[in-house]
């Protein structure tokens, strides 16, 4: 029997809105729209990130991603991926708002396409402007306690320090800094990026994080929906462990059919 | 008349609206958001804004992303 | 002044690494495999290219598959080559375009170039690689600039695999809409290089070696390198050189994406073929070793390779592949009229390749990047 979600006693509050789930989901890297939708449903998430890209005017393109997301139950969180500086991030955020989405933005400024490590200077610059424009700003940042405080002072709704590099699935390489950020923060702390296993999410919550954001580990799992369910339960268990007083953290190769079978006889 | 959309030149009958332009290419306004000469356009205004020579459009939509 | 790759290569003990590959035992392979992704060096790469590693190919394959899936997701990027011309003034003895060969020469007009591009766009392609021979007058910078300006509004991603240019010329090509440059050094061994490149500008080994750096400084977003494995024997020496070159470019141009390709010598009109060609198993092992060395590099496999072999390599670490390719100018609209550079072995159509990829549980990425909404 899956763990019941505590809806009343321990809500997550961001930008004046309350949420029962402390698991946010990214929609990248899924092998199809259907597998993404099933994972979102299974996760019981209430906040899902999307990106913004130019449309290919000469084709009507595949089904619209929004067709796969029940926006009556789920808050869309447009991100500014693709932005290499504050100016581009602000431009993308304004476009997202003009789409009729509530003025929320996952602010991410990542000029380096390899590790997608956020640019702190441009992020702070963009955050100040976006807060002034009335956005609810959730900045994806390095696990830098001073930066987290500067963003808080600038009026951001949360801070979202990375656990390890995006898609690296290495869990909380930044645990010591996250402990400090959690200790000093007056806004919710969402650990975003690098959470590769449900245990990583549980650990982040045990450290006192208010929520986690997971994408790669679910999208590329052999069974994304089942992995989403696992992250949901791990997030709840970690939160419960934190509230009940603290407890103290390997990747296994998945067995699968031989990858080199195609070489037989060659 | 000629405008630029997503970095590409496009020829249009004079007086066409953004809504006409999009629908003619098979795109429903509700699916996309438009930046008109550098300023994001309120979605409700898309069908009414008349285009003129040299206008610049960015037509964008939500896609999957982390 | 930051050092060039030529400086690095000059001091680089390639022979030692080839020797290390030859002498590596099980322990060396285990140590290389156990290292954190992103921390492996060329010495580890050599160990992963050893016979000891070949005996554990399934283990390599699993590690490489896992890492590729983590960094790229379950996706394969599709591109199509378009040969703008097979005119050539150089005499690379391994190539079907070499000067003096009794073949049909053809250079596409603007109209023909657009037709080829539209044919491919209609089949879903959004990323096109433009190729030419090396003919200073007929396929110079002006010719390329004109074709790029013609195609850029229609094709989201354009890369070139042509003769090499100086930094200002690459800047002109970047401004005209090119965002990727592919330069195969063919072989990194200077003597072998000289033996195969008898005439034309391509004789200048160093001018070619530093082209990716000039392209990087000119702001090209994607830098592709590779060697024609089998040109130099042992081919492992060139594989080690490509590894070192890729690591150097990755560190030097952190804003650019680095891609590597591992073409094997194929029969061509000039009929050259090596004594010890790269076997299928060795090429599969190389894909794994390169992925484990370079977690984020695009590994490209063209239609030189036959269908089922290429599909198998996708699971191991290949992330970019071409489909329905024609290796001769005008090939998409008027197949087999002009001479092709090499024999294409995967004759499937783009739709068939895309279908095969989806059947393997991967999503096809036709367009992976677009000029962000720059001011």
């Amino acid at each position: 029997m899956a763990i019941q979600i505590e809806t009343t006693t321990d809500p997550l509050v961001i930008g004046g809105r309350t949420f029962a789930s402390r698991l946010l989901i990214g929609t990248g890297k899924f092998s199809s729209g259907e597998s993404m939708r099933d994972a979102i449903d299974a996760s019981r998430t209430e906040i899902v990130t999307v990106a913004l890209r130019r449309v290919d005017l000469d084709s009507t393109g595949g089904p619209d991603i929004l067709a796969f997301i029940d926006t009556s139950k789920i808050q869309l969180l447009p991100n500014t991926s693709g932005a290499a500086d504050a100016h581009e991030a602000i431009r993308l955020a304004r476009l997202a708002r003009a789409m009729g989405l509530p003025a929320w933005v996952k602010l991410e400024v990542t000029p380096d396409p390899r590790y997608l490590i956020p640019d702190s200077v441009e992020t702070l610059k963009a955050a100040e402007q976006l807060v002034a424009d009335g956005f609810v700003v959730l900045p994806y940042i390095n696990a830098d306690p001073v930066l987290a405080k500067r963003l808080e002072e600038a009026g951001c709704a949360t801070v979202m320090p990375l656990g390890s590099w995006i898609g690296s699935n290495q869990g909380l390489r930044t645990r010591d800094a996250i402990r400090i950020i959690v200790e000093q923060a007056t806004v919710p702390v969402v650990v975003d990026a690098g959470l590769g296993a449900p245990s990583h999410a549980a650990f982040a919550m045990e450290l006192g994080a208010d929520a986690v954001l997971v994408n790669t580990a679910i999208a590329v799992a052999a069974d994304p929906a089942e992995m989403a369910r696992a992250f949901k339960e791990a997030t709840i268990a970690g939160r419960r462990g934190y509230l009940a007083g603290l407890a103290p953290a390997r990747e296994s190769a998945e067995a699968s059919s031989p990858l080199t079978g195609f070489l037989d006889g060659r | 008349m000629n405008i630029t959309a997503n970095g590409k030149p496009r020829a249009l009958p004079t007086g066409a609206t953004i809504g006409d332009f999009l629908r003619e290419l098979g795109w429903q306004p509700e699916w996309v958001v438009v930046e008109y000469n550098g300023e994001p356009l309120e979605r409700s205004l898309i069908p009414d804004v008349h285009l003129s020579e040299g206008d610049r459009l960015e037509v964008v939509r939500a896609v999957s992303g982390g | 002044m930051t050092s060039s790759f030529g400086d690095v290569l000059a001091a680089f003990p390639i022979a030692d690494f080839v020797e290390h590959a030859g002498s590596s035992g099980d322990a060396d392979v285990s140590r290389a495999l156990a290292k954190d992704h992103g921390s492996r060096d060329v010495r580890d790469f050599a160990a992963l290219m050893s016979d000891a590693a070949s005996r554990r190919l399934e283990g390599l394959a699993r590690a490489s598959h896992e890492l590729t899936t983590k960094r790229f997701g379950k996706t394969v990027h599709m591109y199509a080559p378009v040969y703008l011309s097979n005119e050539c003034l150089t005499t690379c003895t391994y190539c079907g375009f070499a000067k003096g060969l009794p073949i049909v020469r053809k250079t596409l007009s603007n109209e023909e170039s657009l037709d080829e591009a539209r044919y491919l766009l209609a089949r879903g392609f959004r990323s096109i690689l433009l190729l030419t021979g090396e003919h200073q007058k007929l396929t110079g910078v002006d010719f390329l600039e004109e074709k790029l300006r013609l195609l850029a509004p229609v094709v989201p991603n354009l890369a070139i695999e042509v003769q090499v240019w100086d930094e200002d010329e690459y800047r002109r090509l970047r401004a005209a809409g090119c965002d990727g440059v592919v330069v195969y050094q063919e072989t990194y061994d200077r003597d072998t290089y000289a033996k195969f490149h008898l005439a034309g500008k391509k004789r200048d080994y160093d001018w070619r070696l530093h082209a990716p750096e000039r392209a990087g400084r000119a702001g090209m977003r994607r830098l592709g390198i590779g060697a024609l494995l089998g040109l130099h024997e042992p081919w492992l020496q060139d594989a080690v050189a490509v590894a070192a070159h890729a690591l150097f470019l990755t560190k030097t141009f952190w804003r650019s994406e680095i891609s590597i390709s591992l073409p094997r010598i194929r029969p061509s009109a000039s009929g050259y073929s090596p004594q010890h060609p790269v076997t299928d198993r060795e090429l599969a092992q190389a894909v794994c070793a390169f992925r484990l060395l370079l977690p984020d590099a695009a590994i490209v496999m063209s239609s030189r390779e036959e269908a089922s072999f290429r599909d198998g390599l996708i699971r191991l670490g290949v992330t970019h592949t071409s489909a329905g390719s024609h290796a001769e100018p005008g090939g998409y609209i008027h197949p087999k009229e002009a001479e092709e550079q090499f024999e294409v072995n995967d004759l499937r159509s783009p739709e068939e390749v895309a279908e095969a990829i989806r059947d393997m549980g991967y999503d096809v990425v036709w367009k992976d990047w677009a000029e962000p909404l720059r001011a």
Side-chain angles (χ1 to χ4, degrees):
Chain A
M1 218 281 286
I3 294 175
Q4 284 305 323
I5 302 168
E6 301 298 318
T7 49
T8 49
T9 54
D10 180 31
L12 168 68
V13 180
I14 298 178
R17 291 195 57 188
T18 60
F19 300 89
S21 164
R22 290 173 176 274
L23 171 61
L24 290 71
I25 297 288
T27 57
K29 295 187 181 176
F30 282 90
S31 62
S32 71
E34 289 73 24
S35 92
M36 175 191 71
R37 182 198 52 218
D38 298 345
I40 289 175
D41 294 349
S43 73
R44 290 277 180 59
T45 185
E46 296 163 279
I47 302 175
V48 160
T49 67
V50 289
L52 274 173
R53 284 295 180 273
R54 259 179 172 174
V55 150
D56 186 348
L57 288 170
D58 295 316
S59 80
T60 50
D64 189 38
I65 187 175
L66 300 183
F68 292 99
I69 301 171
D70 178 356
T71 47
S72 68
K73 279 194 299 183
I74 288 176
Q75 161 95 39
L76 281 179
L77 179 57
N79 67 32
T80 62
S81 69
D85 58 29
H87 174 79
E88 288 174 10
I90 292 163
R91 193 176 174 198
L92 282 168
R94 287 189 179 139
L95 271 169
R97 179 167 58 183
M99 229 175 151
L101 304 174
W104 283 45
V105 58
K106 172 182 172 178
L107 172 58
E108 58 181 289
V109 185
T110 50
D112 155 17
R114 207 165 332 288
Y115 292 100
L116 296 171
I117 298 172
D119 177 326
S120 305
V121 175
E122 294 296 318
T123 299
L124 182 57
K125 231 190 315 180
E128 283 155 358
Q129 180 62 54
L130 288 170
V131 167
D133 286 3
F135 281 88
V136 173
V137 180
L138 292 80
Y140 161 56
I141 59 168
N142 292 294
D144 171 346
V146 171
L147 175 63
K149 290 308 285 181
R150 294 285 302 272
L151 287 162
E152 207 180 275
E153 285 150 16
C156 289
T158 72
V159 286
M160 303 217 288
L162 56 90
S164 50
W165 314 137
I166 281 185
S168 69
N169 292 352
Q170 287 177 10
L172 286 161
R173 288 292 177 114
T174 58
R175 62 192 65 188
D176 299 333
I178 291 208
R179 274 200 190 87
I180 297 169
I181 291 174
V182 165
E183 181 188 297
Q184 298 179 335
T186 58
V187 293
V189 174
V190 182
V191 176
D192 171 15
L195 299 182
S199 57
H200 297 156
F203 184 42
M205 300 304 286
E206 286 168 4
L207 284 180
D210 296 280
V212 290
L213 197 160
V214 179
N215 185 164
T216 298
I218 291 174
V220 302
D223 182 341
E226 195 57 25
M227 184 59 83
R229 213 165 278 120
F231 268 97
K232 176 197 72 173
E233 291 167 4
T235 305
I236 293 167
R239 179 64 179 177
R240 208 169 258 158
Y242 173 72
L243 296 175
L246 275 178
R250 226 196 69 72
E251 236 169 323
S252 63
E254 72 206 289
S256 62
S257 60
L259 292 163
T260 51
F262 74 102
L263 289 171
D264 296 347
R266 280 179 192 274
Chain B
M1 70 185 166
N2 291 308
I3 68 161
T4 311
N6 285 8
K8 281 194 293 196
R10 294 272 173 174
L12 292 178
T14 49
T17 69
I18 297 181
D20 304 334
F21 170 63
L22 289 175
R23 259 188 299 281
E24 205 263 315
L25 285 168
W27 283 90
Q28 296 308 326
E30 321 67 78
W31 296 348
V32 297
V33 64
V34 173
E35 184 182 81
Y36 178 47
N37 290 334
E39 281 307 314
L41 199 59
E42 210 43 55
R43 169 163 287 174
S44 54
L45 299 177
I46 289 183
D48 319 316
V49 171
H50 286 274
L51 290 161
S52 36
E53 185 60 35
D55 279 352
R56 278 178 302 101
L57 291 183
E58 289 291 350
V59 185
V60 179
R61 74 168 172 169
V63 296
S64 65
Chain C
M1 216 285 284
T2 53
S3 63
S4 72
F5 181 63
D7 307 332
V8 171
L9 192 57
F12 201 77
I14 286 196
D16 297 352
F17 288 118
V18 172
E19 192 281 323
H20 182 62
S23 62
S24 278
D26 210 42
D28 301 296
V29 177
S30 302
R31 201 175 312 112
L33 272 178
K35 278 198 172 179
D36 280 346
H37 296 314
S39 69
R40 294 189 183 93
D41 57 25
V42 180
R43 192 169 171 72
D44 297 314
F45 174 79
L48 294 172
M49 290 298 290
S50 65
D51 291 342
S54 175
R55 287 190 291 278
R56 299 172 51 177
L57 193 51
E58 182 61 23
L60 260 71
R62 184 151 317 138
S64 173
H65 166 77
E66 246 176 68
L67 177 55
T68 306
T69 304
K70 213 182 294 179
R71 306 305 285 192
F72 289 87
K74 297 217 166 180
T75 65
V76 179
H77 299 242
M78 295 280 275
Y79 74 94
V82 170
Y83 281 77
L84 296 173
S85 166
N86 59 4
E87 295 286 354
C88 200
L89 294 178
T90 50
T91 55
C92 316
T93 50
Y94 51 83
C95 168
F97 288 175
K99 173 171 179 268
L101 282 176
I103 59 170
V104 175
R105 298 284 175 173
K106 181 172 174 54
T107 299
L108 298 190
S109 67
N110 283 358
E111 205 36 51
E112 286 167 327
S113 306
L114 269 173
D115 288 347
E116 295 273 298
R118 285 200 190 98
Y119 172 91
L120 293 167
L121 287 164
R123 270 152 192 70
F125 286 101
R126 294 295 178 273
S127 178
I128 288 181
L129 175 66
L130 300 173
L131 300 99
T132 66
E134 303 214 355
H135 195 294
Q136 194 61 23
K137 207 161 57 56
L138 294 177
T139 57
V141 178
D142 300 336
F143 168 86
L144 290 170
E145 202 173 25
E146 181 191 4
K147 290 291 184 291
L148 284 164
R149 286 206 191 289
L150 178 78
L151 297 173
V154 186
V155 181
N157 295 125
L158 281 169
I160 51 174
E161 185 179 338
V162 296
Q163 71 188 69
V164 295
W165 304 101
D166 66 29
E167 193 175 315
D168 291 338
E169 287 161 335
Y170 278 127
R171 227 174 274 286
R172 279 173 55 189
L173 297 172
R174 174 79 185 97
C178 174
D179 67 76
V181 169
V182 176
V183 179
Y184 294 154
Q185 188 62 18
E186 314 299 10
T187 173
Y188 286 81
D189 184 274
R190 284 181 184 273
D191 301 335
T192 305
Y193 186 89
K195 213 172 62 179
F196 282 106
H197 301 100
L198 308 171
K201 223 165 177 308
K202 198 169 178 180
R203 277 161 46 82
D204 188 337
Y205 173 98
D206 288 292
W207 181 245
R208 186 174 189 80
L209 183 70
H210 295 117
E213 288 159 76
R214 293 196 298 274
R217 285 195 298 272
M220 290 294 177
R221 202 180 51 77
R222 283 189 292 190
L223 306 174
I225 61 171
L228 194 46
L229 299 179
L231 209 54
H232 178 75
E233 318 246 29
W235 60 266
L236 181 59
Q237 188 178 317
D238 272 333
V240 170
V242 169
H245 200 180
L247 281 172
F248 172 84
L249 291 172
T250 301
K251 220 174 249 357
T252 311
F253 299 99
W254 63 279
R255 281 191 170 82
S256 298
E257 285 165 21
I258 308 303
S259 80
I260 59 155
S261 184
L262 305 168
R264 297 188 275 185
I265 299 262
R266 283 304 188 183
S268 76
S270 63
Y272 170 79
S273 58
Q275 278 98 26
H276 310 292
V278 186
T279 68
D280 291 348
R281 198 175 166 79
E282 286 168 335
L283 189 58
Q285 184 176 353
V287 167
C288 297
F290 270 103
R291 170 59 63 219
L292 291 167
L293 176 71
L294 302 155
D296 301 292
I299 298 182
V300 182
M301 194 58 68
S302 75
S303 52
R304 281 174 189 271
E305 297 299 343
E306 162 268 328
S308 64
F309 181 62
R310 211 162 56 140
D311 294 347
L313 291 177
I314 285 173
R315 260 193 232 294
L316 300 191
V318 166
T319 54
H320 289 63
T321 189
S322 63
S325 304
H326 283 274
E328 76 279 15
Y332 292 105
I333 310 285
H334 313 292
K336 297 295 179 193
E337 269 181 29
E339 201 50 53
E340 52 188 5
Q341 186 180 33
F342 54 77
E343 191 198 325
V344 172
N345 285 301
D346 184 344
L347 303 174
R348 293 174 296 176
S349 72
E351 293 78 10
E352 284 162 333
V353 173
E355 215 33 60
I357 290 171
R358 284 194 196 91
D359 290 348
M360 290 164 49
Y362 283 73
D363 194 17
V364 176
V365 175
W366 298 95
K367 168 178 160 181
D368 67 356
W369 186 82
E371 195 73 41
L373 307 176
R374 294 219 186 285

